[in-house]
Structure formats: structure tokens, C-alpha cells
Amino acid sequence: MSDTIERIKCLIIGSGPAGYTAAIYAARADMKPVMYTGMQMGGQLTTTTEVDNYPGYPNGTDGTAMMNDLQKQAERFGTEVRFGLVTKVELSDKIGGIHKIIVDESKELEAETVIISTGATAKYLGLESEQRLIGGGVSACATCDGFFYKGQDVIVVGAGDTAAEEATYLANICNKVTMLVRKDHMRASKAMQHRVNKTANIEVLYNTELDEVLGESVVEGARVVNNQTKDKHDIAITGVFIAIGHKPNSDLFKGVLDMDEVGYLITQGKSTKTNLPGVFAAGDIQDKEYRQAVTAAGTGCMAALDAERYLGALE
Ligand SMILES: Cc1cc2nc3c(=O)[nH]c(=O)nc-3n(C[C@H](O)[C@H](O)[C@H](O)COP(=O)(O)OP(=O)(O)OC[C@H]3O[C@@H](n4cnc5c(N)ncnc54)[C@H](O)[C@@H]3O)c2cc1C
């Protein structure tokens, strides 16, 4: 039975910058990588038209075009890119053990090494106007998109450390930042709250929620509501930054791989090694700090090198 099951030396789960960079390195090391793309081929960057901070593109680039280039580069060295969703894993805890992977609930594979690069998904509020204007002034990443709002007024929705960090980052670039905090206090650490409070161009509105993003194709303002008094008012802004957290795409690995309370995979020291031998994690799935394409690509490279060394040590 088992001789009919395909055996893969290096299986890569996910087709974002981490997955493709791992593929480029693994293919050049003759590990014959096979990648399963998941439902979002090319990952998160395919949802943006402007990537201005990835090195090597002096005039910036379109996210989808960049991911197509990465795919071509990975394929040039022999990566096999397959459309499919990994739906189940049975990971071995033995050094040199074979990992069982199920794709699309039916196809069974065996893998000597597995690189997990399934990313994380930004959480949104779910308002119709917010969803419609993603890319037209609504963003979930200040580091990525803040620059486009230089000198303008923006709002940040959220009350945790990420929201506080995004607000202070934007305050350096924008004219004014209004933070909408749902409760009567922030969840952010005292240190981050202090940074927010001492930044002159950040205004915090407590007990306040985003009711509607105004504008047809680009953001022209925000209607906010005080959840105590139910009073609504409009704020003239051009950018809306949603900073209410991310969900790492790690449900498949619950109870199998070490993860933090939110679901980010935990890697060992400065490596991409997970708690199981031959299983590595790269990109946003193991990084709640930086979450950038270039950092994802960097850890993708590390994962391929870690996988290559792991296999080398078995010989
Ligand atoms: C709108 C937007 C704009 C951004 N702009 C920038 C920017 O300008 N600059 C920048 O540096 N960063 C930007 N980012 C952040 C950047 O996109 C991420 O940091 C980066 O894409 C993370 O790469 P990744 O490879 O870890 O995962 P992702 O890009 O999240 O890719 C994850 C991949 O895993 C796949 N997958 C998930 N589950 C499975 C499964 N079960 N089986 C198989 N495959 C699976 C998905 O289909 C996807 O291909 C932006 C993000 C967003 C949302």
C-alpha cells in the first residue's frame, strides 16, 4: 500500500513570500520541493496593488506581479507548485520519521521534511463599507501602507499593543491620528499607553466604535459612534487602519506543534525548527512581531537551509 503513496523530500505548505523563498532555496539545494498553494495563491500580497518596501523594486511593484515573479523564480529551479489545500497532517515525532500529509481531504502524501508557511490573516470588523474599501484607504498594516497617508489624517481602530504601535508609527508620518477604543481603557501595555498619550498628534476616543467608513471607492471619512451615549459623528480622514489582531493559519497543527495562546507557531531560538524533527515554520505563521514580506522571505530562506541541514545530518 505505502509504495503507491508519493514520497516528497521537502513539502512546502503555503505560497506567500516565505513559501516561495523556501522553495527557491530548497530547489537550488536539489531537495525537489513540492508546494501546495492553499486557496490564496501568492498569499496576502496578492490583495494589494502597491508594494513599495520590498527590496529590489526601485519603483515599487504590484503585489500579484511580485508573487508571480517569485513563483517563476521557484519554478525555474524545479519547484513543483500545486494548487491544493492541506487538510490534515500526521507529523512524526521521530528523527528521520516520515510525515503524513492529506491534501484536499483525499490525497495522501509522505514528506521527509515539511516547511509550514501558511501565514496569518488580518482580522477586520466586518462592516460592509470597511470590506468594500480595503485597498481604497482601509488597511490592516500601518508599516505597509502608512507612507501613502503622509501628512494626512487617519484613524486607527483597536486598543491593544499593536494598535498603540500602529498609532505611534503613523503619528510620525501623518498629520493627525485618531484612535478608536471600544472600552473606557486601552488593553495595550502601560508603556505603550504612555507612548500614545505623550504623542501630541494622537487623539484617543474611548467608548467609541467605527460605525461606517465613508466614501464610494476611496475613503473620505469615518462615522463613529459613542457606545455609551449612541451619539454619532463624522471625522474627516483619508485612511482607516484596522488593528484588532491577526489570526495565524495554524488550526491544522493544534495539539501537535507548540504554539502560543493566539496560535503562532513557536520556533526554537534563532532557527525555524518547530518542536518536531523535520518540521519547520517560516513567515507570518511564526512571527507576530514584524509580519512583513521581506521578513517572511528571510525566514523562508532559513527554513530551507534548516531542512537541508536536517536531511544532511540523517545521511
Ligand atoms: C493588504 C496587505 C498589504 C500588505 N502590504 C505589504 C507591503 O507593502 N509590504 C510588506 O512587506 N508586507 C505587506 N503585507 C504583509 C505581507 O503580505 C505578509 O507579511 C506576507 O505576505 C507574509 O508572508 P507568508 O509567506 O508568511 O504568508 P502569506 O502571504 O499569508 O501566505 C500564506 C499562504 O499559505 C497558504 N495556506 C494557508 N493555509 C493553507 C493550507 N492549509 N494548505 C496550503 N496552503 C495554505 C495561503 O493560501 C497562502 O498562499 C501586506 C499585507 C496585507 C494583507
Side-chain angles (χ1 to χ4, degrees), residues 13-18 36-40 43-45 47-48 50-51 53 84-86 117-120 144 252 283-284 291-293 296:
I13 311 177
S15 56
Y36 277 91
T37 62
M39 292 301 116
Q40 190 178 46
Q44 294 174 59
L45 277 190
T47 63
T48 184
E50 282 172 304
V51 182
N53 53 8
L85 187 73
V86 173
S117 51
T118 48
C144 312
L252 270 180
D284 284 11
R291 287 194 302 254
Q292 291 294 291

mmCIF file of all heavy atoms in Angstrom, residues 13-18 36-40 43-45 47-48 50-51 53 84-86 117-120 144 252 283-284 291-293 296, ligand 1:
data_model
loop_
_atom_site.group_PDB
_atom_site.id
_atom_site.type_symbol
_atom_site.label_atom_id
_atom_site.label_comp_id
_atom_site.label_asym_id
_atom_site.label_seq_id
_atom_site.Cartn_x
_atom_site.Cartn_y
_atom_site.Cartn_z
ATOM 1 N N ILE A 13 4.089 24.105 2.614
ATOM 2 C CA ILE A 13 2.645 24.390 2.718
ATOM 3 C C ILE A 13 2.465 25.907 2.726
ATOM 4 O O ILE A 13 2.832 26.575 3.699
ATOM 5 C CB ILE A 13 2.028 23.779 3.994
ATOM 6 C CG1 ILE A 13 2.429 22.307 4.152
ATOM 7 C CG2 ILE A 13 0.518 23.931 3.970
ATOM 8 C CD1 ILE A 13 1.897 21.654 5.436
ATOM 9 N N GLY A 14 1.913 26.449 1.633
ATOM 10 C CA GLY A 14 1.653 27.889 1.566
ATOM 11 C C GLY A 14 2.511 28.564 0.515
ATOM 12 O O GLY A 14 3.692 28.248 0.362
ATOM 13 N N SER A 15 1.909 29.526 -0.202
ATOM 14 C CA SER A 15 2.576 30.138 -1.358
ATOM 15 C C SER A 15 2.748 31.642 -1.217
ATOM 16 O O SER A 15 2.616 32.391 -2.186
ATOM 17 C CB SER A 15 1.785 29.817 -2.625
ATOM 18 O OG SER A 15 0.433 30.246 -2.469
ATOM 19 N N GLY A 16 3.043 32.109 -0.001
ATOM 20 C CA GLY A 16 3.386 33.514 0.205
ATOM 21 C C GLY A 16 4.897 33.705 0.020
ATOM 22 O O GLY A 16 5.600 32.789 -0.433
ATOM 23 N N PRO A 17 5.407 34.870 0.375
ATOM 24 C CA PRO A 17 6.851 35.130 0.232
ATOM 25 C C PRO A 17 7.718 34.120 1.001
ATOM 26 O O PRO A 17 8.800 33.756 0.529
ATOM 27 C CB PRO A 17 7.032 36.527 0.820
ATOM 28 C CG PRO A 17 5.683 37.136 0.857
ATOM 29 C CD PRO A 17 4.672 36.038 0.876
ATOM 30 N N ALA A 18 7.229 33.640 2.146
ATOM 31 C CA ALA A 18 8.011 32.662 2.918
ATOM 32 C C ALA A 18 8.096 31.354 2.152
ATOM 33 O O ALA A 18 9.181 30.777 1.980
ATOM 34 C CB ALA A 18 7.374 32.437 4.290
ATOM 35 N N TYR A 36 2.257 23.200 -1.912
ATOM 36 C CA TYR A 36 0.801 23.311 -2.026
ATOM 37 C C TYR A 36 0.430 24.756 -1.713
ATOM 38 O O TYR A 36 0.829 25.301 -0.675
ATOM 39 C CB TYR A 36 0.094 22.302 -1.114
ATOM 40 C CG TYR A 36 0.035 20.965 -1.807
ATOM 41 C CD1 TYR A 36 1.053 20.029 -1.639
ATOM 42 C CD2 TYR A 36 -0.986 20.686 -2.702
ATOM 43 C CE1 TYR A 36 1.031 18.829 -2.333
ATOM 44 C CE2 TYR A 36 -1.011 19.475 -3.399
ATOM 45 C CZ TYR A 36 -0.011 18.562 -3.214
ATOM 46 O OH TYR A 36 -0.033 17.391 -3.916
ATOM 47 N N THR A 37 -0.300 25.366 -2.640
ATOM 48 C CA THR A 37 -0.501 26.829 -2.573
ATOM 49 C C THR A 37 -1.568 27.263 -1.578
ATOM 50 O O THR A 37 -1.566 28.401 -1.138
ATOM 51 C CB THR A 37 -0.955 27.363 -3.948
ATOM 52 O OG1 THR A 37 -2.214 26.760 -4.268
ATOM 53 C CG2 THR A 37 0.067 27.077 -5.027
ATOM 54 N N GLY A 38 -2.514 26.385 -1.268
ATOM 55 C CA GLY A 38 -3.663 26.833 -0.487
ATOM 56 C C GLY A 38 -4.607 27.621 -1.378
ATOM 57 O O GLY A 38 -4.366 27.785 -2.584
ATOM 58 N N MET A 39 -5.669 28.128 -0.774
ATOM 59 C CA MET A 39 -6.712 28.808 -1.547
ATOM 60 C C MET A 39 -6.273 30.180 -2.037
ATOM 61 O O MET A 39 -6.794 30.705 -3.006
ATOM 62 C CB MET A 39 -7.982 28.973 -0.676
ATOM 63 C CG MET A 39 -8.664 27.669 -0.362
ATOM 64 S SD MET A 39 -9.151 26.827 -1.872
ATOM 65 C CE MET A 39 -8.159 25.361 -1.801
ATOM 66 N N GLN A 40 -5.306 30.783 -1.322
ATOM 67 C CA GLN A 40 -4.869 32.126 -1.725
ATOM 68 C C GLN A 40 -3.488 32.004 -2.379
ATOM 69 O O GLN A 40 -2.453 32.176 -1.731
ATOM 70 C CB GLN A 40 -4.803 33.044 -0.496
ATOM 71 C CG GLN A 40 -4.604 34.499 -0.852
ATOM 72 C CD GLN A 40 -4.592 35.381 0.381
ATOM 73 O OE1 GLN A 40 -3.947 35.083 1.390
ATOM 74 N NE2 GLN A 40 -5.304 36.497 0.309
ATOM 75 N N GLY A 43 -0.496 34.283 -1.596
ATOM 76 C CA GLY A 43 -0.598 34.805 -0.229
ATOM 77 C C GLY A 43 -1.177 36.214 -0.139
ATOM 78 O O GLY A 43 -1.792 36.717 -1.085
ATOM 79 N N GLN A 44 -0.948 36.818 1.024
ATOM 80 C CA GLN A 44 -1.579 38.106 1.348
ATOM 81 C C GLN A 44 -1.248 39.229 0.377
ATOM 82 O O GLN A 44 -2.047 40.127 0.149
ATOM 83 C CB GLN A 44 -1.129 38.569 2.732
ATOM 84 C CG GLN A 44 -1.574 37.721 3.888
ATOM 85 C CD GLN A 44 -0.934 38.197 5.178
ATOM 86 O OE1 GLN A 44 -1.098 39.332 5.601
ATOM 87 N NE2 GLN A 44 -0.174 37.324 5.805
ATOM 88 N N LEU A 45 -0.045 39.195 -0.185
ATOM 89 C CA LEU A 45 0.361 40.325 -1.033
ATOM 90 C C LEU A 45 -0.468 40.438 -2.303
ATOM 91 O O LEU A 45 -0.492 41.495 -2.929
ATOM 92 C CB LEU A 45 1.846 40.211 -1.413
ATOM 93 C CG LEU A 45 2.862 40.727 -0.393
ATOM 94 C CD1 LEU A 45 4.241 40.756 -1.024
ATOM 95 C CD2 LEU A 45 2.516 42.122 0.128
ATOM 96 N N THR A 47 -3.401 40.751 -2.382
ATOM 97 C CA THR A 47 -4.558 41.617 -2.115
ATOM 98 C C THR A 47 -4.161 43.090 -2.128
ATOM 99 O O THR A 47 -4.958 43.950 -1.777
ATOM 100 C CB THR A 47 -5.222 41.285 -0.761
ATOM 101 O OG1 THR A 47 -4.277 41.531 0.290
ATOM 102 C CG2 THR A 47 -5.661 39.835 -0.696
ATOM 103 N N THR A 48 -2.924 43.386 -2.525
ATOM 104 C CA THR A 48 -2.536 44.796 -2.583
ATOM 105 C C THR A 48 -1.923 45.133 -3.938
ATOM 106 O O THR A 48 -1.266 44.289 -4.561
ATOM 107 C CB THR A 48 -1.564 45.176 -1.439
ATOM 108 O OG1 THR A 48 -1.299 46.578 -1.513
ATOM 109 C CG2 THR A 48 -0.248 44.424 -1.513
ATOM 110 N N GLU A 50 0.015 47.906 -4.277
ATOM 111 C CA GLU A 50 1.243 48.684 -4.111
ATOM 112 C C GLU A 50 2.144 48.101 -3.037
ATOM 113 O O GLU A 50 1.816 48.139 -1.853
ATOM 114 C CB GLU A 50 0.889 50.128 -3.719
ATOM 115 C CG GLU A 50 0.428 50.940 -4.901
ATOM 116 C CD GLU A 50 -0.108 52.294 -4.481
ATOM 117 O OE1 GLU A 50 -1.035 52.326 -3.643
ATOM 118 O OE2 GLU A 50 0.398 53.307 -4.976
ATOM 119 N N VAL A 51 3.284 47.557 -3.467
ATOM 120 C CA VAL A 51 4.301 47.127 -2.506
ATOM 121 C C VAL A 51 5.513 48.014 -2.763
ATOM 122 O O VAL A 51 6.147 47.923 -3.809
ATOM 123 C CB VAL A 51 4.672 45.636 -2.684
ATOM 124 C CG1 VAL A 51 5.695 45.211 -1.637
ATOM 125 C CG2 VAL A 51 3.431 44.759 -2.589
ATOM 126 N N ASN A 53 8.016 48.629 -0.328
ATOM 127 C CA ASN A 53 9.140 48.475 0.606
ATOM 128 C C ASN A 53 9.881 47.159 0.451
ATOM 129 O O ASN A 53 10.693 46.803 1.292
ATOM 130 C CB ASN A 53 8.637 48.623 2.057
ATOM 131 C CG ASN A 53 7.474 47.694 2.366
ATOM 132 O OD1 ASN A 53 7.136 46.831 1.562
ATOM 133 N ND2 ASN A 53 6.876 47.865 3.522
ATOM 134 N N GLY A 84 -3.744 23.365 -4.105
ATOM 135 C CA GLY A 84 -4.398 22.414 -3.201
ATOM 136 C C GLY A 84 -4.263 22.887 -1.763
ATOM 137 O O GLY A 84 -3.393 23.701 -1.436
ATOM 138 N N LEU A 85 -5.170 22.372 -0.939
ATOM 139 C CA LEU A 85 -5.202 22.767 0.464
ATOM 140 C C LEU A 85 -4.812 21.575 1.325
ATOM 141 O O LEU A 85 -5.381 20.484 1.160
ATOM 142 C CB LEU A 85 -6.640 23.201 0.806
ATOM 143 C CG LEU A 85 -6.895 23.807 2.162
ATOM 144 C CD1 LEU A 85 -6.320 25.227 2.230
ATOM 145 C CD2 LEU A 85 -8.402 23.873 2.434
ATOM 146 N N VAL A 86 -3.857 21.778 2.199
ATOM 147 C CA VAL A 86 -3.525 20.706 3.144
ATOM 148 C C VAL A 86 -4.629 20.679 4.195
ATOM 149 O O VAL A 86 -4.917 21.698 4.833
ATOM 150 C CB VAL A 86 -2.138 20.929 3.772
ATOM 151 C CG1 VAL A 86 -1.877 19.922 4.878
ATOM 152 C CG2 VAL A 86 -1.060 20.822 2.693
ATOM 153 N N SER A 117 4.327 27.414 5.931
ATOM 154 C CA SER A 117 4.338 28.867 5.681
ATOM 155 C C SER A 117 2.922 29.301 5.337
ATOM 156 O O SER A 117 2.670 29.866 4.275
ATOM 157 C CB SER A 117 5.336 29.206 4.566
ATOM 158 O OG SER A 117 5.117 28.386 3.433
ATOM 159 N N THR A 118 2.019 29.001 6.253
ATOM 160 C CA THR A 118 0.594 29.223 5.996
ATOM 161 C C THR A 118 0.108 30.620 6.393
ATOM 162 O O THR A 118 -1.072 30.930 6.246
ATOM 163 C CB THR A 118 -0.260 28.156 6.714
ATOM 164 O OG1 THR A 118 0.201 28.063 8.075
ATOM 165 C CG2 THR A 118 -0.126 26.792 6.072
ATOM 166 N N GLY A 119 1.020 31.454 6.882
ATOM 167 C CA GLY A 119 0.679 32.868 7.081
ATOM 168 C C GLY A 119 -0.304 33.150 8.204
ATOM 169 O O GLY A 119 -0.652 32.283 9.018
ATOM 170 N N ALA A 120 -0.744 34.377 8.209
ATOM 171 C CA ALA A 120 -1.724 34.820 9.203
ATOM 172 C C ALA A 120 -2.719 35.724 8.480
ATOM 173 O O ALA A 120 -2.385 36.349 7.479
ATOM 174 C CB ALA A 120 -1.039 35.588 10.324
ATOM 175 N N CYS A 144 3.018 48.795 6.175
ATOM 176 C CA CYS A 144 2.932 48.615 4.716
ATOM 177 C C CYS A 144 2.395 49.867 4.036
ATOM 178 O O CYS A 144 2.890 50.287 3.001
ATOM 179 C CB CYS A 144 1.992 47.462 4.371
ATOM 180 S SG CYS A 144 2.289 45.958 5.304
ATOM 181 N N LEU A 252 -4.627 23.563 11.738
ATOM 182 C CA LEU A 252 -4.214 22.193 11.369
ATOM 183 C C LEU A 252 -3.244 21.571 12.368
ATOM 184 O O LEU A 252 -3.152 20.363 12.472
ATOM 185 C CB LEU A 252 -3.410 22.276 10.066
ATOM 186 C CG LEU A 252 -4.057 22.185 8.712
ATOM 187 C CD1 LEU A 252 -2.977 22.312 7.652
ATOM 188 C CD2 LEU A 252 -4.754 20.835 8.588
ATOM 189 N N GLY A 283 7.761 32.625 8.085
ATOM 190 C CA GLY A 283 6.813 33.686 7.717
ATOM 191 C C GLY A 283 5.882 34.056 8.859
ATOM 192 O O GLY A 283 6.143 33.793 10.038
ATOM 193 N N ASP A 284 4.766 34.660 8.477
ATOM 194 C CA ASP A 284 3.836 35.224 9.469
ATOM 195 C C ASP A 284 3.278 34.178 10.430
ATOM 196 O O ASP A 284 2.840 34.523 11.528
ATOM 197 C CB ASP A 284 2.649 35.894 8.761
ATOM 198 C CG ASP A 284 3.020 37.253 8.162
ATOM 199 O OD1 ASP A 284 4.219 37.574 8.116
ATOM 200 O OD2 ASP A 284 2.099 37.983 7.747
ATOM 201 N N ARG A 291 5.813 40.701 10.661
ATOM 202 C CA ARG A 291 4.780 40.476 9.637
ATOM 203 C C ARG A 291 4.982 41.298 8.360
ATOM 204 O O ARG A 291 4.097 42.018 7.914
ATOM 205 C CB ARG A 291 3.392 40.752 10.220
ATOM 206 C CG ARG A 291 2.928 39.686 11.184
ATOM 207 C CD ARG A 291 1.457 39.803 11.467
ATOM 208 N NE ARG A 291 1.131 41.092 12.006
ATOM 209 C CZ ARG A 291 0.835 41.320 13.278
ATOM 210 N NH1 ARG A 291 0.781 40.340 14.141
ATOM 211 N NH2 ARG A 291 0.552 42.537 13.682
ATOM 212 N N GLN A 292 6.164 41.177 7.778
ATOM 213 C CA GLN A 292 6.455 41.852 6.520
ATOM 214 C C GLN A 292 6.868 40.823 5.476
ATOM 215 O O GLN A 292 7.347 39.732 5.819
ATOM 216 C CB GLN A 292 7.597 42.859 6.715
ATOM 217 C CG GLN A 292 7.189 44.048 7.563
ATOM 218 C CD GLN A 292 6.126 44.900 6.870
ATOM 219 O OE1 GLN A 292 6.392 45.554 5.887
ATOM 220 N NE2 GLN A 292 4.900 44.866 7.375
ATOM 221 N N ALA A 293 6.721 41.185 4.205
ATOM 222 C CA ALA A 293 7.087 40.257 3.136
ATOM 223 C C ALA A 293 8.573 39.915 3.207
ATOM 224 O O ALA A 293 8.964 38.757 3.030
ATOM 225 C CB ALA A 293 6.745 40.869 1.785
ATOM 226 N N ALA A 296 9.266 37.583 6.067
ATOM 227 C CA ALA A 296 8.734 36.256 5.724
ATOM 228 C C ALA A 296 9.698 35.554 4.771
ATOM 229 O O ALA A 296 10.027 34.372 4.944
ATOM 230 C CB ALA A 296 7.343 36.388 5.098
HETATM 231 C C1 LIG B 1 -3.375 44.287 2.201
HETATM 232 C C2 LIG B 1 -1.976 43.928 2.641
HETATM 233 C C3 LIG B 1 -0.920 44.700 2.223
HETATM 234 C C4 LIG B 1 0.368 44.390 2.598
HETATM 235 N N1 LIG B 1 1.381 45.164 2.151
HETATM 236 C C5 LIG B 1 2.654 44.846 2.466
HETATM 237 C C6 LIG B 1 3.736 45.618 1.976
HETATM 238 O O1 LIG B 1 3.536 46.595 1.267
HETATM 239 N N2 LIG B 1 4.980 45.239 2.332
HETATM 240 C C7 LIG B 1 5.228 44.159 3.137
HETATM 241 O O2 LIG B 1 6.403 43.855 3.403
HETATM 242 N N3 LIG B 1 4.226 43.423 3.636
HETATM 243 C C8 LIG B 1 2.946 43.726 3.322
HETATM 244 N N4 LIG B 1 1.919 42.996 3.837
HETATM 245 C C9 LIG B 1 2.232 41.885 4.747
HETATM 246 C C10 LIG B 1 2.705 40.659 3.920
HETATM 247 O O3 LIG B 1 1.759 40.406 2.919
HETATM 248 C C11 LIG B 1 2.897 39.451 4.811
HETATM 249 O O4 LIG B 1 3.798 39.739 5.851
HETATM 250 C C12 LIG B 1 3.438 38.282 3.995
HETATM 251 O O5 LIG B 1 2.616 38.008 2.893
HETATM 252 C C13 LIG B 1 3.568 37.026 4.861
HETATM 253 O O6 LIG B 1 4.026 36.029 4.038
HETATM 254 P P1 LIG B 1 3.841 34.494 4.381
HETATM 255 O O7 LIG B 1 4.577 33.764 3.304
HETATM 256 O O8 LIG B 1 4.201 34.225 5.773
HETATM 257 O O9 LIG B 1 2.287 34.176 4.279
HETATM 258 P P2 LIG B 1 1.069 34.676 3.411
HETATM 259 O O10 LIG B 1 1.404 35.699 2.417
HETATM 260 O O11 LIG B 1 -0.003 34.959 4.393
HETATM 261 O O12 LIG B 1 0.680 33.357 2.616
HETATM 262 C C14 LIG B 1 0.149 32.253 3.274
HETATM 263 C C15 LIG B 1 -0.079 31.169 2.254
HETATM 264 O O13 LIG B 1 -0.462 29.967 2.914
HETATM 265 C C16 LIG B 1 -1.492 29.354 2.170
HETATM 266 N N5 LIG B 1 -2.190 28.447 3.078
HETATM 267 C C17 LIG B 1 -2.849 28.727 4.231
HETATM 268 N N6 LIG B 1 -3.369 27.604 4.753
HETATM 269 C C18 LIG B 1 -3.008 26.580 3.916
HETATM 270 C C19 LIG B 1 -3.246 25.170 3.890
HETATM 271 N N7 LIG B 1 -3.956 24.578 4.847
HETATM 272 N N8 LIG B 1 -2.743 24.446 2.881
HETATM 273 C C20 LIG B 1 -1.995 25.032 1.899
HETATM 274 N N9 LIG B 1 -1.740 26.364 1.871
HETATM 275 C C21 LIG B 1 -2.258 27.122 2.858
HETATM 276 C C22 LIG B 1 -2.304 30.512 1.623
HETATM 277 O O14 LIG B 1 -3.087 30.099 0.503
HETATM 278 C C23 LIG B 1 -1.176 31.464 1.233
HETATM 279 O O15 LIG B 1 -0.688 31.130 -0.047
HETATM 280 C C24 LIG B 1 0.615 43.281 3.464
HETATM 281 C C25 LIG B 1 -0.460 42.504 3.905
HETATM 282 C C26 LIG B 1 -1.738 42.803 3.508
HETATM 283 C C27 LIG B 1 -2.886 41.957 3.979
#
